[in-house]
Short mmCIF file of all heavy atoms in Angstrom, two decimals:
data_model
loop_
_atom_site.label_atom_id
_atom_site.label_comp_id
_atom_site.label_asym_id
_atom_site.label_seq_id
_atom_site.Cartn_x
_atom_site.Cartn_y
_atom_site.Cartn_z
N ASN E 114 -6.92 12.10 40.64
CA ASN E 114 -7.16 11.76 39.24
C ASN E 114 -7.49 13.01 38.42
O ASN E 114 -8.00 14.01 38.93
CB ASN E 114 -8.29 10.77 39.11
CG ASN E 114 -7.87 9.36 39.48
OD1 ASN E 114 -6.71 9.12 39.79
ND2 ASN E 114 -8.82 8.45 39.54
N GLY E 130 -12.30 8.64 30.43
CA GLY E 130 -11.68 8.07 31.61
C GLY E 130 -10.66 8.97 32.25
O GLY E 130 -10.40 10.07 31.79
N THR E 131 -10.06 8.44 33.30
CA THR E 131 -9.14 9.23 34.11
C THR E 131 -7.80 8.53 34.27
O THR E 131 -7.63 7.35 33.92
CB THR E 131 -9.74 9.50 35.50
OG1 THR E 131 -10.11 8.26 36.11
CG2 THR E 131 -10.96 10.38 35.40
N MET E 132 -6.89 9.26 34.87
CA MET E 132 -5.54 8.74 35.14
C MET E 132 -5.02 9.53 36.35
O MET E 132 -5.57 10.56 36.72
CB MET E 132 -4.61 8.97 33.95
CG MET E 132 -4.47 10.45 33.53
SD MET E 132 -3.36 10.73 32.15
CE MET E 132 -1.78 10.57 32.99
N ALA E 133 -3.93 9.04 36.94
CA ALA E 133 -3.31 9.74 38.05
C ALA E 133 -2.72 11.07 37.57
O ALA E 133 -2.18 11.18 36.48
CB ALA E 133 -2.21 8.89 38.68
N PHE E 139 2.62 7.65 36.77
CA PHE E 139 1.27 7.20 36.41
C PHE E 139 1.27 5.86 35.66
O PHE E 139 0.23 5.19 35.60
CB PHE E 139 0.53 8.27 35.62
CG PHE E 139 1.24 8.81 34.43
CD1 PHE E 139 1.30 8.12 33.24
CD2 PHE E 139 1.87 10.05 34.49
CE1 PHE E 139 1.94 8.61 32.13
CE2 PHE E 139 2.54 10.57 33.38
CZ PHE E 139 2.56 9.83 32.19
N LEU E 142 0.47 3.25 38.36
CA LEU E 142 -0.66 3.43 39.24
C LEU E 142 -1.96 2.99 38.53
O LEU E 142 -2.10 3.16 37.33
CB LEU E 142 -0.78 4.92 39.64
CG LEU E 142 0.31 5.45 40.53
CD1 LEU E 142 0.18 6.96 40.72
CD2 LEU E 142 0.31 4.75 41.87
N TRP E 143 -2.89 2.43 39.31
CA TRP E 143 -4.14 1.90 38.76
C TRP E 143 -5.32 2.49 39.53
O TRP E 143 -6.16 1.77 40.04
CB TRP E 143 -4.13 0.37 38.83
CG TRP E 143 -2.96 -0.21 38.10
CD1 TRP E 143 -1.72 -0.42 38.62
CD2 TRP E 143 -2.90 -0.61 36.73
NE1 TRP E 143 -0.89 -0.94 37.65
CE2 TRP E 143 -1.58 -1.06 36.47
CE3 TRP E 143 -3.84 -0.64 35.70
CZ2 TRP E 143 -1.18 -1.55 35.25
CZ3 TRP E 143 -3.43 -1.11 34.47
CH2 TRP E 143 -2.13 -1.55 34.23
N ILE E 144 -5.38 3.80 39.58
CA ILE E 144 -6.40 4.49 40.34
C ILE E 144 -7.43 5.20 39.45
O ILE E 144 -8.32 5.88 39.94
CB ILE E 144 -5.79 5.48 41.37
CG1 ILE E 144 -4.97 6.54 40.63
CG2 ILE E 144 -4.95 4.74 42.37
CD1 ILE E 144 -4.44 7.65 41.56
N GLY E 145 -7.29 5.04 38.13
CA GLY E 145 -8.22 5.68 37.22
C GLY E 145 -9.51 4.90 37.08
O GLY E 145 -9.66 3.78 37.57
N GLU E 146 -10.45 5.52 36.33
CA GLU E 146 -11.73 4.88 36.06
C GLU E 146 -12.18 5.23 34.62
O GLU E 146 -11.70 6.21 34.05
CB GLU E 146 -12.82 5.31 37.06
CG GLU E 146 -12.53 4.87 38.47
CD GLU E 146 -13.65 5.25 39.44
OE1 GLU E 146 -14.19 6.37 39.30
OE2 GLU E 146 -13.96 4.43 40.32
N LEU E 147 -13.09 4.43 34.11
CA LEU E 147 -13.72 4.74 32.82
C LEU E 147 -15.20 5.01 33.12
O LEU E 147 -15.86 4.25 33.83
CB LEU E 147 -13.60 3.54 31.88
CG LEU E 147 -14.32 3.67 30.52
CD1 LEU E 147 -13.70 4.80 29.67
CD2 LEU E 147 -14.25 2.36 29.75
N TYR E 148 -15.72 6.12 32.55
CA TYR E 148 -17.08 6.58 32.83
C TYR E 148 -17.91 6.65 31.56
O TYR E 148 -17.38 6.82 30.45
CB TYR E 148 -17.08 7.98 33.44
CG TYR E 148 -16.29 8.15 34.70
CD1 TYR E 148 -15.01 8.75 34.66
CD2 TYR E 148 -16.78 7.72 35.92
CE1 TYR E 148 -14.29 8.91 35.83
CE2 TYR E 148 -16.04 7.89 37.10
CZ TYR E 148 -14.80 8.50 37.03
OH TYR E 148 -14.06 8.67 38.19
N ILE E 158 -17.94 2.66 34.46
CA ILE E 158 -17.94 1.45 33.63
C ILE E 158 -16.85 0.50 34.09
O ILE E 158 -17.05 -0.74 34.10
CB ILE E 158 -17.72 1.83 32.16
CG1 ILE E 158 -18.87 2.69 31.64
CG2 ILE E 158 -17.57 0.58 31.30
CD1 ILE E 158 -18.64 3.20 30.25
N LYS E 159 -15.71 1.04 34.46
CA LYS E 159 -14.57 0.19 34.83
C LYS E 159 -13.73 0.94 35.87
O LYS E 159 -13.47 2.13 35.73
CB LYS E 159 -13.71 -0.13 33.60
CG LYS E 159 -12.62 -1.13 33.81
CD LYS E 159 -11.84 -1.39 32.53
CE LYS E 159 -10.85 -2.54 32.69
NZ LYS E 159 -9.92 -2.38 33.80
N ASP E 160 -13.29 0.21 36.89
CA ASP E 160 -12.36 0.80 37.86
C ASP E 160 -10.97 0.15 37.69
O ASP E 160 -10.76 -0.63 36.76
CB ASP E 160 -12.88 0.62 39.28
CG ASP E 160 -13.00 -0.82 39.72
OD1 ASP E 160 -12.68 -1.73 38.92
OD2 ASP E 160 -13.47 -1.05 40.87
N LYS E 161 -10.04 0.55 38.53
CA LYS E 161 -8.67 0.05 38.47
C LYS E 161 -8.06 0.22 37.07
O LYS E 161 -7.45 -0.68 36.49
CB LYS E 161 -8.61 -1.42 38.89
CG LYS E 161 -9.02 -1.62 40.36
CD LYS E 161 -8.96 -3.07 40.77
CE LYS E 161 -9.43 -3.24 42.21
NZ LYS E 161 -9.44 -4.67 42.63
N VAL E 162 -8.27 1.41 36.55
CA VAL E 162 -7.69 1.79 35.23
C VAL E 162 -6.36 2.49 35.48
O VAL E 162 -6.21 3.25 36.43
CB VAL E 162 -8.68 2.73 34.47
CG1 VAL E 162 -8.01 3.35 33.25
CG2 VAL E 162 -9.93 1.97 34.11
N GLY E 163 -5.39 2.21 34.62
CA GLY E 163 -4.11 2.88 34.73
C GLY E 163 -4.10 4.23 34.05
O GLY E 163 -4.13 5.29 34.70
N LEU E 164 -4.09 4.23 32.73
CA LEU E 164 -4.07 5.48 31.95
C LEU E 164 -5.15 5.34 30.87
O LEU E 164 -4.94 4.73 29.82
CB LEU E 164 -2.69 5.69 31.31
CG LEU E 164 -2.28 7.10 30.93
CD1 LEU E 164 -0.80 7.10 30.52
CD2 LEU E 164 -3.12 7.66 29.81
N SER E 165 -6.34 5.87 31.16
CA SER E 165 -7.47 5.71 30.25
C SER E 165 -7.23 6.46 28.95
O SER E 165 -6.91 7.64 28.96
CB SER E 165 -8.73 6.20 30.92
OG SER E 165 -9.88 5.87 30.16
N ASN E 166 -7.36 5.73 27.83
CA ASN E 166 -7.04 6.38 26.54
C ASN E 166 -8.10 6.06 25.49
O ASN E 166 -9.26 6.31 25.66
CB ASN E 166 -5.61 6.01 26.11
CG ASN E 166 -4.72 7.22 26.11
OD1 ASN E 166 -5.11 8.28 25.62
ND2 ASN E 166 -3.52 7.09 26.65
N TYR E 179 -11.39 -0.21 23.48
CA TYR E 179 -10.85 0.64 24.53
C TYR E 179 -9.41 0.29 24.82
O TYR E 179 -9.02 -0.87 24.84
CB TYR E 179 -11.69 0.45 25.81
CG TYR E 179 -11.21 1.18 27.03
CD1 TYR E 179 -11.09 2.58 27.02
CD2 TYR E 179 -10.85 0.51 28.19
CE1 TYR E 179 -10.67 3.27 28.15
CE2 TYR E 179 -10.42 1.17 29.31
CZ TYR E 179 -10.31 2.56 29.29
OH TYR E 179 -9.89 3.23 30.42
N ALA E 180 -8.61 1.34 25.06
CA ALA E 180 -7.21 1.16 25.39
C ALA E 180 -6.88 1.78 26.73
O ALA E 180 -7.05 3.00 26.91
CB ALA E 180 -6.31 1.75 24.31
N ASP E 181 -6.44 0.95 27.66
CA ASP E 181 -5.79 1.43 28.89
C ASP E 181 -4.30 1.31 28.59
O ASP E 181 -3.77 0.20 28.49
CB ASP E 181 -6.22 0.58 30.06
CG ASP E 181 -5.52 0.98 31.38
OD1 ASP E 181 -4.53 1.74 31.33
OD2 ASP E 181 -5.98 0.52 32.44
N THR E 182 -3.64 2.44 28.43
CA THR E 182 -2.23 2.44 27.99
C THR E 182 -1.36 1.54 28.88
O THR E 182 -0.45 0.86 28.37
CB THR E 182 -1.69 3.87 28.00
OG1 THR E 182 -2.47 4.64 27.06
CG2 THR E 182 -0.21 3.92 27.59
N ASN E 183 -1.63 1.52 30.17
CA ASN E 183 -0.78 0.76 31.10
C ASN E 183 -0.84 -0.76 30.87
O ASN E 183 0.01 -1.50 31.34
CB ASN E 183 -1.17 1.08 32.53
CG ASN E 183 -0.73 2.44 32.96
OD1 ASN E 183 -0.31 3.25 32.15
ND2 ASN E 183 -0.80 2.72 34.25
N ASN E 184 -1.87 -1.22 30.13
CA ASN E 184 -2.03 -2.66 29.86
C ASN E 184 -1.38 -3.10 28.57
O ASN E 184 -1.31 -4.31 28.29
CB ASN E 184 -3.51 -3.02 29.82
CG ASN E 184 -4.12 -3.19 31.15
OD1 ASN E 184 -3.44 -3.54 32.11
ND2 ASN E 184 -5.40 -2.98 31.27
N TYR E 190 -15.24 -4.91 23.65
CA TYR E 190 -16.40 -5.22 24.49
C TYR E 190 -17.61 -5.38 23.57
O TYR E 190 -17.71 -4.76 22.52
CB TYR E 190 -16.71 -4.07 25.44
CG TYR E 190 -15.73 -3.82 26.55
CD1 TYR E 190 -14.51 -3.17 26.30
CD2 TYR E 190 -15.99 -4.20 27.86
CE1 TYR E 190 -13.61 -2.91 27.31
CE2 TYR E 190 -15.11 -3.95 28.88
CZ TYR E 190 -13.92 -3.30 28.61
OH TYR E 190 -13.02 -3.05 29.62
#
Side-chain angles (χ1 to χ4, degrees):
N114 285 355
T131 54
M132 59 178 284
F139 52 79
L142 292 174
W143 303 87
I144 59 174
E146 294 183 320
L147 176 65
Y148 303 103
I158 297 174
K159 187 180 188 306
D160 63 1
K161 297 180 181 177
V162 169
L164 203 172
S165 189
N166 246 315
Y179 175 61
D181 178 345
T182 298
N183 287 11
N184 280 332
Y190 291 78

